[in-house]
Each structure stands twice: as structure tokens, then as C-alpha cells.
Amino acid sequence: MPFLTDPVLAVGTLAGHPQPTLPADGGLVLRPWRAADAPAVHRVFQDPVMHRWHARSADSEDEVAGWIRDWHRAWEEEREAQWAVTGADRGALLGRVALREMRLDDGVAEVAYWTAPAARGGGVAARAATALAHWALDEVGFHRLELLHAVGNEASCRVAVRSGFAFEGTKRSALLHPDGWHDMHLHARVRGD
């Protein structure tokens, strides 16, 4: 049965090109992950704050190296797009920003992010999410980007608002964390916002 609408983004829109490096305000750079990033990502995932707001842990650098390989495959398969966030000198890892749950036909993806402990409170996540949203909506042609965070994660809510994601509501008991089910705030940006 044929669809009555054309796909918003064609297959190959992302995978047909190398993953780009993107500039962000304040001298930040969003760059593809490298195998050499595994030790830094592993260190970030030892932080108790990461354990509170994320459902994933990292037991070893080898495990994280596997994640990085999967992040590269995810770009090629147009499932996800993950970037390391660094300073303009491309030195220390400051965080991660990503498009997850990509549905090219619908032109929809979910924005996700985290920051390294030393980078928190400096606007890194908001600047990275803003740059990613601009690229995805204005350059690639996504129609809608969603952003979810645990209701209790006030810092993440501030990031969402600062990066132009309007609050749309609460998804009750939507994500299981080690401490139980979390209600999640839903924010979104659409092209033209």
C-alpha cells in the first residue's frame, strides 16, 4: 500500500557523506568519536551523576571502545548520530551530543547529551544542543527534534530551554533507571522555531 506523503528525508541523506565536524558557540567543536576517546568516556561514566540520570554504566575502556565502534556503524546505518564535544583545540572531552531514534521518513529524531564533570555549569550542553539542532533542522532538513529528560533533572531542563526546545508535557513513568521508573519531560523544536 503506497504512502500518501513522501519521506521527509531520503535514505542516504546522512550515510551518503562522512559525519561532519560542527562548530558551536564559545569555541566548542562537535566532532565524530575516535577510538582514542574511550578512556575519557569511561572516566565520565564512573561519575555518580551519570549513574543517577543514565540507565547505562561502563565497566571498562574496552566496553566503551565497542560503543564508539557502534556509534560509527549507527551513522552508516542512519540509526543515530553521536558527537564528542571538545574545545576548539579539540583537546579534553567536554561532553557528548547525539541524535537518537532517527526516523528519516518522518524527519524526526531525539536529541541527547551529557557533560563531563569538569565541564558542567558552563553552558557546554546547551551550546552543543543548539549547534546540533541548527545543523539537523536547517542544514539536513529534519522537521522535528525531541528532547527527553527525567523530571527531577533540573539542570537538563535548563539545557533544553536554553537551547530552544519548548516544553510540551510529561511522559509518565516513561523510563526505567536503577532507582525505578522516572517521569520524563518532553521538549521539542521544529523547523522554523
Side-chain angles (χ1 to χ4, degrees):
M1 176 181 326
F3 286 97
L4 297 175
T5 58
D6 292 329
V8 175
L9 295 169
V11 171
T13 296
L14 299 179
H17 309 280
Q19 184 176 353
T21 296
L22 306 172
D25 286 346
L28 295 181
V29 174
L30 285 56
R31 64 158 172 80
W33 289 96
R34 301 175 185 149
D37 293 322
V41 174
H42 181 257
R43 279 192 301 277
V44 169
F45 271 81
Q46 305 317 299
D47 177 49
V49 172
M50 294 295 284
H51 297 176
R52 180 165 186 203
W53 302 121
H54 293 82
R56 193 173 204 182
S57 67
D59 292 332
S60 70
E61 291 178 15
D62 285 342
E63 179 183 5
V64 174
W67 298 355
I68 292 170
R69 287 189 298 273
D70 186 55
W71 294 340
H72 286 260
R73 279 191 305 273
W75 173 267
E76 294 165 4
E77 297 169 3
E78 298 180 315
R79 292 182 286 116
E80 294 184 347
Q82 306 261 354
W83 283 265
V85 181
T86 68
D89 61 1
R90 301 188 188 188
L93 177 67
L94 302 176
R96 164 257 197 180
V97 67
L99 292 177
R100 301 179 47 220
E101 309 292 333
M102 293 192 310
R103 297 190 323 264
L104 297 182
D105 283 357
D106 297 327
V108 176
E110 177 187 337
V111 172
Y113 47 81
W114 51 253
T115 52
R120 293 188 188 130
V124 168
R127 287 181 279 144
T130 299
L132 180 58
H134 167 71
W135 176 79
L137 294 167
D138 300 335
E139 294 182 34
V140 177
F142 279 88
H143 176 72
R144 177 181 169 87
L145 300 178
E146 296 182 346
L147 189 158
L148 292 163
H149 65 82
V151 170
N153 191 341
E154 294 176 7
S156 197
C157 195
R158 288 190 298 273
V159 169
V161 171
R162 287 182 185 151
S163 53
F165 286 77
F167 176 70
E168 292 190 340
T170 302
K171 294 177 73 169
R172 297 179 304 123
S173 196
L175 190 63
L176 181 61
H177 282 259
D179 64 347
W181 288 97
H182 282 235
D183 291 349
M184 303 294 284
H185 276 169
L186 172 63
H187 298 256
R189 279 183 69 163
V190 297
R191 193 182 318 167
D193 279 354

